[in-house]
Amino acid sequence: MRTWVSQVRKGLVELCVLGALDGGEAYGYEILQRLTRADNLAITESTVYPILARLAKEGVLAVRVSPSPSGPPRRYYHLTDAGRARLGEMHRYWRHLTAAVDDLLSGGKP
Amino acid sequence: MTSESVNPSPDARDRVDAYLDAIERVLVAADMPRAERKGIADDVEAQILEMLAPRPGADATVEDVEAVLAHLDPPEAYAEAGGVPPGPPATASPAAPPSRSEPTRPPQPRSKTTSVLLAVFLSFWSWLYTWRKDWPQFVVGAVLHCVVAPVLFVLGAFVELGSSGIQATLICVAILLQLVVWIAAIIDAVATPSGWYADYPNVGYWGWDYPE
């Protein structure tokens, strides 16, 4: 069970990260805090930051570096057009998937 | 978010750097491109300093940093994400195995002050305190101090070599050798940066695991 939960979470991190940025740009720790507010996701920084770096490399996210009052410059991430398109596709797929699974688990009852 | 700035003490800064270096090593081992590694390091550093910021007092201490790091994932946790895009479980690449130089556990910090005091009072025996990194110095120090110097001293003091000058020289060299080993141990302890002690591995020189 634990392995299955872990794999499901892992597969959803990218969608969650993109979703967390749908409301506007944020820096790494801020994104992490948005994600940790969601119960049961159990996402930590060693998962989020590598994904942010990869999505930025892929052009799904854009990075803006800005001075921070508490230390080194912060890297603010925001969705690019490609990022919004990917989020839309993933979100649609997720809705279809959960609807299909719900349907299956309820035995086809409405 | 806080707007206070934080100034870690030099030792605390060394501890932060040691943690970031450990992550860097894990990401390098996972073949992650340099630009991505830098982005991750910047995000982690910004998080650590922001978590330190609300703490009272002028400078953040090593203890403050340790308290923050205790809430963060160990550097090895980055191996799983390094360079491996998420995919179906059946095709996901396994995490990179730890290499010989990669500690498999969080560091087990040593105190620089303790190391210096041990060197002042106990000469080369102080290297036993940091044995996992300093075993070569300890072996050389022990051989010079306990074998070479005593042999030279005995030759000079008790064996008839035909010249009192040679015998006196041997005794002087023996005493000098012991002093050199002692001073080397002190200089080594003093000159070693605090970050080295903070990053003291919880794993043996050849990758042996020690009890927690």
Side-chain angles (χ1 to χ4, degrees):
Chain A
M1 177 66 183
R2 210 183 307 168
T3 308
W4 179 79
V5 169
S6 164
Q7 294 294 348
V8 171
R9 279 178 184 153
K10 199 180 287 183
L12 288 175
V13 173
E14 184 172 324
L15 171 60
C16 294
V17 167
L18 294 176
L21 286 168
D22 197 27
E25 72 168 10
Y27 59 93
Y29 186 36
E30 202 175 8
I31 296 168
L32 183 65
Q33 287 176 317
R34 288 181 187 177
L35 293 170
T36 51
R37 270 185 225 124
D39 286 343
N40 295 320
L41 276 180
I43 295 174
T44 60
E45 73 281 356
S46 68
T47 307
V48 172
Y49 295 156
I51 285 179
L52 288 172
R54 179 171 59 78
L55 293 175
K57 184 188 169 197
E58 291 173 3
V60 174
L61 299 180
V63 184
R64 179 177 66 85
V65 179
S66 176
S68 157
S70 66
R74 284 175 179 156
R75 293 163 56 84
Y76 283 85
Y77 297 88
H78 62 268
L79 293 172
T80 61
D81 289 342
R84 267 184 288 279
R86 185 183 288 191
L87 174 61
E89 279 176 41
M90 292 177 85
H91 197 178
R92 270 192 298 281
Y93 180 75
W94 172 248
R95 279 202 306 264
H96 290 316
L97 184 68
T98 50
V101 172
D102 284 345
D103 191 39
L104 187 71
L105 294 180
S106 64
K109 297 170 195 166
Chain B
M1 301 303 127
T2 178
S3 60
E4 295 173 45
S5 64
V6 60
N7 296 307
S9 68
D11 285 352
R13 183 66 245 184
D14 285 345
R15 183 67 189 95
V16 172
D17 288 343
Y19 180 76
L20 295 174
D21 288 345
I23 292 175
E24 167 78 4
R25 287 195 295 273
V26 170
L27 295 176
V28 167
D31 287 332
M32 179 171 277
R34 180 182 165 80
E36 289 180 58
R37 296 200 309 267
K38 185 178 182 315
I40 293 169
D42 288 348
D43 284 340
V44 175
E45 182 181 5
Q47 177 177 350
I48 293 170
L49 294 180
E50 183 163 331
M51 290 173 78
L52 282 171
R55 289 163 190 276
D59 288 354
T61 65
V62 174
E63 289 72 28
D64 294 332
V65 171
E66 292 292 351
V68 167
L69 296 184
H71 288 91
L72 301 183
D73 292 331
E76 304 85 66
Y78 287 80
E80 203 173 332
V84 184
T91 58
S93 302
S99 63
R100 202 183 85 170
S101 60
E102 293 298 334
T104 56
R105 300 176 184 185
Q108 199 175 50
R110 289 287 188 263
S111 159
K112 180 172 180 173
T113 308
T114 304
S115 186
V116 172
L117 287 174
L118 286 171
V120 167
F121 291 107
L122 297 174
S123 178
F124 71 95
W125 292 102
S126 64
W127 281 316
L128 277 181
Y129 178 60
T130 47
W131 164 263
R132 292 173 201 168
K133 281 183 165 181
D134 280 340
W135 71 268
Q137 291 95 312
F138 174 77
V139 171
V140 171
V143 169
L144 290 176
H145 194 277
C146 301
V147 179
V148 178
V151 166
L152 292 176
F153 187 86
V154 168
L155 284 175
F158 302 110
V159 178
E160 193 60 54
L161 296 175
S163 162
S164 60
I166 292 176
Q167 289 188 276
T169 303
L170 288 177
I171 292 172
C172 288
V173 168
I175 295 170
L176 200 63
L177 204 53
Q178 296 202 327
L179 279 174
V180 165
V181 169
W182 201 314
I183 291 167
I186 296 171
I187 290 175
D188 182 57
V190 171
T192 301
S194 301
W196 186 93
Y197 291 98
D199 201 24
Y200 188 73
N202 191 8
V203 67
Y205 189 80
W206 287 286
W208 299 330
D209 279 345
Y210 288 84
E212 297 278 10

